[in-house]
Amino acid sequence: MQVPILKMNDVLIVTLGNDITDDEAIAIKHNILVKIKETECQGLLIDISVVDLIDSFMGRILNEIAEMAKLMGSRTAITGMSPQVAITMIELGLKLQGVYTALTVEKGFEWLRNPNTGA
């Protein structure tokens, strides 16, 4: 499954689907990091609004992407988290350290463009 990585201004936008295998998740992580390097973007927005279920591996991948993006100078926002995904992440003890979360892509994008707004 090829996941498009779009660039809008200085923000990369990635929309994750429901049927991502572990191997695809690793490839997505690599592709995002390469794209951050190529574009020198300041922000990364990961939209998970179509994700119904998340397992510990995918939760760990999301956290790793955010941490690695931060090391490369890019802030991360995750948008569209469903109640089921939020519950699962807490039950699994997964924390998204240093990641801004928002219900909508618009709010996440606004925060990435100006993190002082608190969106």
Side-chain angles (χ1 to χ4, degrees):
M1 167 185 284
Q2 183 71 14
V3 175
I5 302 172
L6 307 173
K7 184 174 187 278
M8 182 179 284
N9 300 325
D10 62 348
V11 174
L12 294 180
I13 301 172
V14 180
T15 301
L16 297 182
N18 235 355
D19 300 329
I20 297 174
T21 66
D22 290 353
D23 288 339
E24 290 169 336
I26 292 168
I28 290 166
K29 176 174 68 172
H30 174 77
N31 293 342
I32 289 171
L33 297 173
V34 167
K35 201 70 156 174
I36 289 171
K37 174 68 174 164
E38 289 174 354
T39 63
E40 299 180 5
C41 73
Q42 298 298 306
L44 171 63
L45 189 144
I46 302 173
D47 179 40
I48 61 170
S49 58
V50 298
V51 175
D52 295 325
L53 213 49
I54 197 164
D55 61 12
S56 60
F57 183 78
M58 192 61 200
R60 195 178 92 231
I61 289 290
L62 285 174
N63 198 48
E64 288 175 0
I65 291 169
E67 287 180 12
M68 291 173 185
K70 183 178 179 181
L71 287 172
M72 296 176 73
S74 185
R75 294 180 302 280
T76 301
I78 295 180
T79 63
M81 189 176 300
S82 70
Q84 299 91 328
V85 170
I87 290 167
T88 302
M89 291 199 59
I90 294 301
E91 287 176 348
L92 293 173
L94 300 171
K95 298 181 187 331
L96 296 172
Q97 300 293 340
V99 175
Y100 179 79
T101 57
L103 288 176
T104 66
V105 168
E106 292 82 9
K107 293 246 185 230
F109 189 76
E110 179 184 331
W111 179 80
L112 288 169
R113 297 287 295 145
N114 187 2
N116 296 327
T117 63

